[in-house]
Amino acid sequence: MSDRATLTVVIPIYNEQENLPELFRRLRAVFDQLTDLDCSVLYIDDGSRDESMRLMVEQNRQDARFRVAELSRNFGHQPALTAGLMLADADAVVLMDGDMQDPPELIPELVICWRQGADVVRAVRRDRAERGLKRIGFELFYKIIDWISDFPLPNQTGIFGLLSRQAVNELNRMPEKNRFLPGLRAWIGFDQRTVFYDRQLRAAGEPKQNIWRLVRYAMDGFLSFSYKPLRLMFGAGVIVSLCGFVLAVSFVLKRLLGYETAPTGFTTLITVVLFLGGVQLMAMGLLGEYLGRIYDEVKRRPMYIIKQVHGDPRGHDSRNSIAVPEHHGQTA
Ligand code: UDP
Ligand code: MG
Protein backbone atom coordinates (compact mmCIF):
# COMPACT_ATOMS: atom_id res chain seq x y z
CA MET A 1 0.00 0.00 0.00
CA SER A 2 1.44 3.32 -1.01
CA ASP A 3 0.53 6.53 0.76
CA ARG A 4 -0.36 8.30 -2.44
CA ALA A 5 -3.66 10.09 -2.62
CA THR A 6 -6.54 7.97 -3.88
CA LEU A 7 -9.28 8.68 -6.39
CA THR A 8 -12.37 6.59 -7.02
CA VAL A 9 -14.68 7.03 -9.98
CA VAL A 10 -18.22 5.98 -9.10
CA ILE A 11 -20.33 4.95 -12.09
CA PRO A 12 -23.94 3.72 -11.87
CA ILE A 13 -24.61 1.05 -14.46
CA TYR A 14 -27.97 -0.15 -15.65
CA ASN A 15 -27.86 -2.22 -18.85
CA GLU A 16 -24.82 -0.56 -20.37
CA GLN A 17 -23.26 -3.57 -22.09
CA GLU A 18 -22.59 -1.55 -25.25
CA ASN A 19 -20.72 1.16 -23.37
CA LEU A 20 -18.71 -0.82 -20.83
CA PRO A 21 -15.82 -1.84 -23.12
CA GLU A 22 -15.23 1.74 -24.22
CA LEU A 23 -15.57 2.98 -20.66
CA PHE A 24 -12.92 0.50 -19.57
CA ARG A 25 -10.54 1.53 -22.34
CA ARG A 26 -10.93 5.28 -21.92
CA LEU A 27 -10.78 5.21 -18.12
CA ARG A 28 -7.59 3.17 -18.18
CA ALA A 29 -6.05 5.67 -20.57
CA VAL A 30 -7.01 8.51 -18.21
CA PHE A 31 -5.63 6.65 -15.18
CA ASP A 32 -2.33 6.28 -17.02
CA GLN A 33 -2.08 10.07 -17.16
CA LEU A 34 -2.80 10.47 -13.45
CA THR A 35 0.47 8.97 -12.34
CA ASP A 36 0.53 10.64 -8.93
CA LEU A 37 -2.81 9.18 -7.85
CA ASP A 38 -4.04 5.70 -6.96
CA CYS A 39 -7.07 5.53 -9.20
CA SER A 40 -9.90 3.06 -9.13
CA VAL A 41 -13.41 2.60 -10.45
CA LEU A 42 -16.43 1.57 -8.46
CA TYR A 43 -19.24 0.44 -10.71
CA ILE A 44 -22.62 0.26 -9.06
CA ASP A 45 -24.62 -2.32 -10.92
CA ASP A 46 -28.20 -1.16 -10.55
CA GLY A 47 -29.88 -4.47 -11.29
CA SER A 48 -28.76 -4.75 -14.93
CA ARG A 49 -30.50 -7.46 -16.91
CA ASP A 50 -28.11 -7.62 -19.84
CA GLU A 51 -24.47 -8.71 -19.98
CA SER A 52 -23.24 -5.69 -17.98
CA MET A 53 -22.58 -7.61 -14.78
CA ARG A 54 -20.55 -10.27 -16.57
CA LEU A 55 -18.53 -7.61 -18.41
CA MET A 56 -17.78 -5.71 -15.20
CA VAL A 57 -16.66 -8.83 -13.33
CA GLU A 58 -14.46 -9.61 -16.31
CA GLN A 59 -12.96 -6.11 -16.13
CA ASN A 60 -12.30 -6.68 -12.44
CA ARG A 61 -10.39 -9.87 -13.30
CA GLN A 62 -8.32 -8.04 -15.87
CA ASP A 63 -7.66 -4.98 -13.75
CA ALA A 64 -8.28 -5.07 -10.01
CA ARG A 65 -8.72 -1.30 -9.97
CA PHE A 66 -12.16 -1.85 -11.52
CA ARG A 67 -14.55 -3.01 -8.83
CA VAL A 68 -18.27 -3.71 -8.85
CA ALA A 69 -20.90 -3.42 -6.18
CA GLU A 70 -24.03 -5.24 -7.23
CA LEU A 71 -27.36 -3.98 -5.94
CA SER A 72 -30.12 -6.48 -5.28
CA ARG A 73 -32.43 -4.95 -7.91
CA ASN A 74 -32.92 -1.77 -9.91
CA PHE A 75 -33.14 1.10 -7.44
CA GLY A 76 -32.55 4.06 -9.77
CA HIS A 77 -29.83 6.51 -10.67
CA GLN A 78 -29.71 8.55 -7.47
CA PRO A 79 -29.84 5.60 -5.05
CA ALA A 80 -27.07 3.89 -7.06
CA LEU A 81 -24.91 7.01 -6.79
CA THR A 82 -25.65 7.19 -3.09
CA ALA A 83 -24.48 3.60 -2.69
CA GLY A 84 -21.26 4.52 -4.49
CA LEU A 85 -20.66 7.52 -2.26
CA MET A 86 -21.19 5.38 0.84
CA LEU A 87 -18.81 2.67 -0.34
CA ALA A 88 -16.02 4.76 -1.81
CA ASP A 89 -13.36 5.69 0.72
CA ALA A 90 -10.92 7.51 -1.55
CA ASP A 91 -9.57 11.01 -0.91
CA ALA A 92 -11.48 12.22 -3.95
CA VAL A 93 -14.57 10.75 -5.56
CA VAL A 94 -15.67 11.41 -9.12
CA LEU A 95 -19.31 10.80 -10.03
CA MET A 96 -20.13 10.15 -13.67
CA ASP A 97 -22.64 8.36 -15.88
CA GLY A 98 -21.75 5.17 -17.66
CA ASP A 99 -23.12 6.08 -21.07
CA MET A 100 -20.14 8.18 -22.21
CA GLN A 101 -22.17 11.39 -21.93
CA ASP A 102 -19.68 12.46 -19.31
CA PRO A 103 -16.25 12.26 -20.95
CA PRO A 104 -13.68 10.51 -18.69
CA GLU A 105 -11.01 12.69 -20.30
CA LEU A 106 -12.24 15.60 -18.17
CA ILE A 107 -11.18 13.86 -14.94
CA PRO A 108 -7.59 15.24 -14.95
CA GLU A 109 -9.02 18.75 -15.13
CA LEU A 110 -11.32 18.02 -12.18
CA VAL A 111 -8.32 16.68 -10.28
CA ILE A 112 -6.32 19.87 -10.92
CA CYS A 113 -9.07 21.96 -9.29
CA TRP A 114 -9.20 19.55 -6.37
CA ARG A 115 -5.43 19.80 -5.96
CA GLN A 116 -5.83 23.57 -5.82
CA GLY A 117 -8.13 23.17 -2.85
CA ALA A 118 -11.62 22.74 -4.25
CA ASP A 119 -14.01 20.43 -2.38
CA VAL A 120 -16.67 20.33 -5.04
CA VAL A 121 -15.76 20.52 -8.71
CA ARG A 122 -18.82 20.70 -10.92
CA ALA A 123 -18.59 19.81 -14.55
CA VAL A 124 -20.90 22.25 -16.30
CA ARG A 125 -22.25 21.60 -19.76
CA ARG A 126 -21.37 24.25 -22.25
CA ASP A 127 -23.83 22.75 -24.67
CA ARG A 128 -26.25 19.88 -24.69
CA ALA A 129 -26.26 17.32 -27.43
CA GLU A 130 -29.94 16.54 -26.89
CA ARG A 131 -32.31 18.25 -29.29
CA GLY A 132 -36.04 18.66 -29.64
CA LEU A 133 -38.55 18.08 -26.86
CA LYS A 134 -36.10 16.57 -24.42
CA ARG A 135 -33.88 19.61 -24.72
CA ILE A 136 -36.79 21.99 -24.22
CA GLY A 137 -37.69 19.94 -21.15
CA PHE A 138 -34.20 20.27 -19.70
CA GLU A 139 -34.04 24.01 -20.40
CA LEU A 140 -37.45 24.52 -18.82
CA PHE A 141 -36.40 22.46 -15.82
CA TYR A 142 -33.37 24.66 -15.18
CA LYS A 143 -35.40 27.84 -15.65
CA ILE A 144 -38.05 26.71 -13.17
CA ILE A 145 -35.63 25.37 -10.61
CA ASP A 146 -33.60 28.54 -10.81
CA TRP A 147 -36.70 30.53 -9.95
CA ILE A 148 -38.24 28.13 -7.44
CA SER A 149 -35.27 27.17 -5.35
CA ASP A 150 -34.74 28.91 -2.02
CA PHE A 151 -31.02 29.08 -2.65
CA PRO A 152 -29.14 29.32 -5.94
CA LEU A 153 -28.67 25.99 -7.64
CA PRO A 154 -25.99 25.88 -10.30
CA ASN A 155 -27.38 25.85 -13.80
CA GLN A 156 -26.75 23.07 -16.30
CA THR A 157 -25.01 20.67 -13.97
CA GLY A 158 -25.83 17.05 -13.60
CA ILE A 159 -24.02 14.75 -11.25
CA PHE A 160 -20.74 14.78 -13.17
CA GLY A 161 -17.99 16.20 -11.00
CA LEU A 162 -15.52 15.59 -8.24
CA LEU A 163 -16.02 15.59 -4.47
CA SER A 164 -13.35 15.80 -1.80
CA ARG A 165 -13.37 13.38 1.11
CA GLN A 166 -14.91 16.01 3.34
CA ALA A 167 -17.66 16.77 0.83
CA VAL A 168 -18.46 13.06 0.47
CA ASN A 169 -18.61 12.67 4.24
CA GLU A 170 -21.09 15.52 4.49
CA LEU A 171 -23.26 14.11 1.69
CA ASN A 172 -23.22 10.74 3.41
CA ARG A 173 -24.58 12.35 6.55
CA MET A 174 -27.74 13.37 4.71
CA PRO A 175 -30.45 10.87 5.51
CA GLU A 176 -33.02 12.01 2.95
CA LYS A 177 -34.36 9.40 0.58
CA ASN A 178 -35.59 11.55 -2.29
CA ARG A 179 -32.23 12.72 -3.37
CA PHE A 180 -31.39 15.42 -5.84
CA LEU A 181 -27.62 15.23 -5.75
CA PRO A 182 -26.81 18.37 -7.80
CA GLY A 183 -28.84 20.33 -5.25
CA LEU A 184 -27.42 18.59 -2.18
CA ARG A 185 -23.94 19.09 -3.55
CA ALA A 186 -24.52 22.83 -3.84
CA TRP A 187 -26.18 22.92 -0.43
CA ILE A 188 -23.15 21.62 1.49
CA GLY A 189 -21.06 24.67 0.61
CA PHE A 190 -17.24 24.52 0.87
CA ASP A 191 -14.98 25.57 -1.97
CA GLN A 192 -17.06 24.95 -5.10
CA ARG A 193 -15.60 25.34 -8.56
CA THR A 194 -16.70 24.83 -12.11
CA VAL A 195 -15.16 23.19 -15.14
CA PHE A 196 -16.82 23.46 -18.55
CA TYR A 197 -17.30 20.69 -21.08
CA ASP A 198 -19.46 19.75 -24.03
CA ARG A 199 -22.12 17.22 -23.20
CA GLN A 200 -21.95 14.31 -25.58
CA LEU A 201 -24.79 12.21 -26.87
CA ARG A 202 -25.19 8.81 -25.25
CA ALA A 203 -22.68 6.62 -27.13
CA ALA A 204 -24.85 3.52 -27.47
CA GLY A 205 -28.09 2.03 -26.24
CA GLU A 206 -31.30 3.69 -25.15
CA PRO A 207 -31.49 6.16 -22.25
CA LYS A 208 -32.14 4.10 -19.14
CA GLN A 209 -34.13 6.72 -17.32
CA ASN A 210 -37.57 6.86 -18.82
CA ILE A 211 -39.41 10.14 -19.03
CA TRP A 212 -41.40 9.52 -15.83
CA ARG A 213 -38.23 8.91 -13.88
CA LEU A 214 -36.89 12.20 -15.19
CA VAL A 215 -40.11 14.00 -14.30
CA ARG A 216 -39.99 12.54 -10.82
CA TYR A 217 -36.37 13.56 -10.52
CA ALA A 218 -37.32 17.08 -11.61
CA MET A 219 -40.10 17.13 -8.99
CA ASP A 220 -37.59 16.03 -6.35
CA GLY A 221 -35.46 18.95 -7.44
CA PHE A 222 -38.33 21.42 -7.15
CA LEU A 223 -39.88 20.13 -3.97
CA SER A 224 -36.87 19.27 -1.86
CA PHE A 225 -35.33 22.70 -2.20
CA SER A 226 -38.29 24.96 -1.77
CA TYR A 227 -41.68 25.62 -0.22
CA LYS A 228 -42.41 28.06 -2.99
CA PRO A 229 -44.96 25.81 -4.74
CA LEU A 230 -46.99 25.75 -1.51
CA ARG A 231 -46.72 29.50 -1.13
CA LEU A 232 -47.75 29.89 -4.74
CA MET A 233 -50.90 27.88 -4.09
CA PHE A 234 -51.61 29.99 -1.05
CA GLY A 235 -51.13 33.11 -3.16
CA ALA A 236 -53.51 31.80 -5.82
CA GLY A 237 -56.06 31.10 -3.08
CA VAL A 238 -55.78 34.64 -1.77
CA ILE A 239 -56.23 36.16 -5.22
CA VAL A 240 -59.25 33.99 -6.06
CA SER A 241 -60.94 34.74 -2.70
CA LEU A 242 -60.32 38.46 -3.20
CA CYS A 243 -61.94 38.34 -6.62
CA GLY A 244 -64.89 36.45 -5.15
CA PHE A 245 -65.24 38.99 -2.37
CA VAL A 246 -65.14 41.99 -4.70
CA LEU A 247 -67.71 40.34 -6.95
CA ALA A 248 -70.01 39.58 -4.03
CA VAL A 249 -69.82 43.15 -2.72
CA SER A 250 -70.54 44.55 -6.16
CA PHE A 251 -73.64 42.33 -6.49
CA VAL A 252 -74.94 43.43 -3.09
CA LEU A 253 -74.34 47.11 -3.89
CA LYS A 254 -76.06 46.78 -7.24
CA ARG A 255 -79.11 45.23 -5.58
CA LEU A 256 -79.24 47.89 -2.82
CA LEU A 257 -78.85 50.75 -5.29
CA GLY A 258 -81.65 49.35 -7.33
CA TYR A 259 -79.74 48.40 -10.46
CA GLU A 260 -81.12 45.52 -12.41
CA THR A 261 -79.10 42.37 -11.72
CA ALA A 262 -79.78 40.04 -14.53
CA PRO A 263 -79.11 36.37 -13.62
CA THR A 264 -75.61 35.59 -14.87
CA GLY A 265 -75.34 32.85 -17.41
CA PHE A 266 -75.03 29.16 -16.76
CA THR A 267 -71.83 29.07 -18.86
CA THR A 268 -70.09 31.57 -16.61
CA LEU A 269 -71.14 29.63 -13.56
CA ILE A 270 -69.97 26.26 -14.80
CA THR A 271 -66.68 27.75 -16.00
CA VAL A 272 -65.95 29.27 -12.62
CA VAL A 273 -66.94 26.11 -10.75
CA LEU A 274 -64.77 23.88 -12.93
CA PHE A 275 -61.85 26.29 -12.78
CA LEU A 276 -61.95 26.51 -9.01
CA GLY A 277 -62.43 22.75 -8.68
CA GLY A 278 -59.36 22.24 -10.85
CA VAL A 279 -57.28 24.67 -8.85
CA GLN A 280 -58.30 22.95 -5.62
CA LEU A 281 -57.46 19.50 -6.93
CA MET A 282 -54.10 20.75 -8.14
CA ALA A 283 -53.37 22.22 -4.74
CA MET A 284 -54.29 18.92 -3.12
CA GLY A 285 -52.10 17.03 -5.56
CA LEU A 286 -49.22 19.30 -4.71
CA LEU A 287 -49.78 18.74 -1.01
CA GLY A 288 -49.82 15.02 -1.82
CA GLU A 289 -46.41 15.29 -3.49
CA TYR A 290 -44.95 16.77 -0.33
CA LEU A 291 -46.84 14.29 1.84
CA GLY A 292 -45.66 11.28 -0.17
CA ARG A 293 -42.10 12.46 0.20
CA ILE A 294 -42.57 12.88 3.92
CA TYR A 295 -43.97 9.34 4.03
CA ASP A 296 -40.86 8.05 2.23
CA GLU A 297 -38.65 9.71 4.82
CA VAL A 298 -40.68 8.46 7.77
CA LYS A 299 -40.54 4.84 6.63
CA ARG A 300 -36.76 5.00 6.93
CA ARG A 301 -36.20 2.20 4.46
CA PRO A 302 -32.68 1.88 3.13
CA MET A 303 -32.17 3.60 -0.20
CA TYR A 304 -30.59 0.51 -1.73
CA ILE A 305 -29.47 -3.00 -0.84
CA ILE A 306 -26.07 -4.35 -1.80
CA LYS A 307 -26.09 -7.95 -2.94
CA GLN A 308 -22.37 -8.47 -3.28
CA VAL A 309 -19.14 -6.70 -4.05
CA HIS A 310 -16.56 -7.85 -6.56
CA GLY A 311 -13.15 -6.58 -5.58
CA ASP A 312 -12.42 -4.73 -2.38
CA PRO A 313 -14.62 -1.61 -2.35
CA ARG A 314 -12.49 0.11 0.23
CA GLY A 315 -8.95 -0.99 -0.47
CA HIS A 316 -7.03 0.02 -3.55
CA ASP A 317 -5.08 -2.27 -5.82
CA SER A 318 -6.22 -5.33 -3.94
CA ARG A 319 -6.51 -8.57 -5.85
CA ASN A 320 -9.33 -10.36 -4.11
CA SER A 321 -12.50 -10.91 -6.02
CA ILE A 322 -15.99 -11.43 -4.61
CA ALA A 323 -15.68 -10.15 -1.09
CA VAL A 324 -18.29 -10.82 1.59
CA PRO A 325 -21.25 -8.54 1.07
CA GLU A 326 -21.33 -5.62 3.43
CA HIS A 327 -24.55 -4.05 4.60
CA HIS A 328 -23.92 -0.50 3.70
CA GLY A 329 -27.47 -0.25 2.47
CA GLN A 330 -28.66 0.36 6.02
CA THR A 331 -28.02 4.03 6.01
CA ALA A 332 -30.97 5.16 8.04
N1 UDP B 1 -28.82 4.27 -14.45
C1 UDP B 1 -28.91 3.52 -13.28
N2 UDP B 1 -30.15 3.13 -12.84
C2 UDP B 1 -31.29 3.46 -13.50
C3 UDP B 1 -31.18 4.25 -14.66
C4 UDP B 1 -29.94 4.66 -15.10
O1 UDP B 1 -27.90 3.20 -12.66
O2 UDP B 1 -32.35 3.05 -13.06
C5 UDP B 1 -27.49 4.70 -14.93
C6 UDP B 1 -27.25 4.47 -16.40
O3 UDP B 1 -26.70 3.19 -16.64
C7 UDP B 1 -26.27 5.57 -16.73
C8 UDP B 1 -26.66 6.68 -15.79
O4 UDP B 1 -27.38 6.07 -14.73
O5 UDP B 1 -24.93 5.18 -16.45
C9 UDP B 1 -27.48 7.75 -16.46
O6 UDP B 1 -28.60 7.17 -17.08
P1 UDP B 1 -29.23 7.76 -18.42
O7 UDP B 1 -28.14 8.01 -19.41
O8 UDP B 1 -30.31 6.85 -18.83
O9 UDP B 1 -29.83 9.12 -17.89
P2 UDP B 1 -29.88 10.55 -18.61
O10 UDP B 1 -28.56 10.77 -19.27
O11 UDP B 1 -31.01 10.46 -19.54
O12 UDP B 1 -30.10 11.48 -17.45
MG1 MG C 1 -27.39 9.59 -20.25
Side-chain angles (χ1 to χ4, degrees), residues 16 97-101 130 134 199 202 207-209:
E16 300 286 1
D97 283 349
D99 56 1
M100 314 306 312
Q101 281 194 293
E130 280 104 349
K134 204 167 177 185
R199 181 102 169 143
R202 164 179 268 282
K208 302 299 164 346
Q209 310 229 68

Side-chain angles (χ1 to χ4, degrees), residues 125-138:
R125 309 180 255 263
R126 206 177 285 125
D127 189 24
R128 249 183 196 285
E130 280 104 349
R131 293 277 175 268
L133 262 184
K134 204 167 177 185
R135 181 183 181 121
I136 295 173
F138 280 120

Side-chain angles (χ1 to χ4, degrees), residues 21 34 46 80 95 102-103 137 180 185 211 283-284 300:
L34 295 168
D46 191 18
L95 297 181
D102 305 332
F180 180 67
R185 189 177 56 179
I211 189 73
M284 266 162 64
R300 293 170 68 88

Side-chain angles (χ1 to χ4, degrees), residues 164-217:
S164 71
R165 183 72 249 153
Q166 201 176 7
V168 173
N169 288 346
E170 292 308 327
L171 283 175
N172 287 345
R173 285 206 307 142
M174 296 192 186
E176 59 200 89
K177 308 280 182 275
N178 292 299
R179 290 169 100 78
F180 180 67
L181 273 171
L184 297 179
R185 189 177 56 179
W187 188 89
I188 59 172
F190 296 117
D191 185 343
Q192 307 226 354
R193 299 190 196 179
T194 304
V195 165
F196 288 94
Y197 77 106
D198 292 314
R199 181 102 169 143
Q200 315 289 312
L201 270 180
R202 164 179 268 282
E206 288 292 303
K208 302 299 164 346
Q209 310 229 68
N210 63 33
I211 189 73
W212 293 117
R213 276 248 170 115
L214 284 179
V215 168
R216 193 190 147 91
Y217 181 57

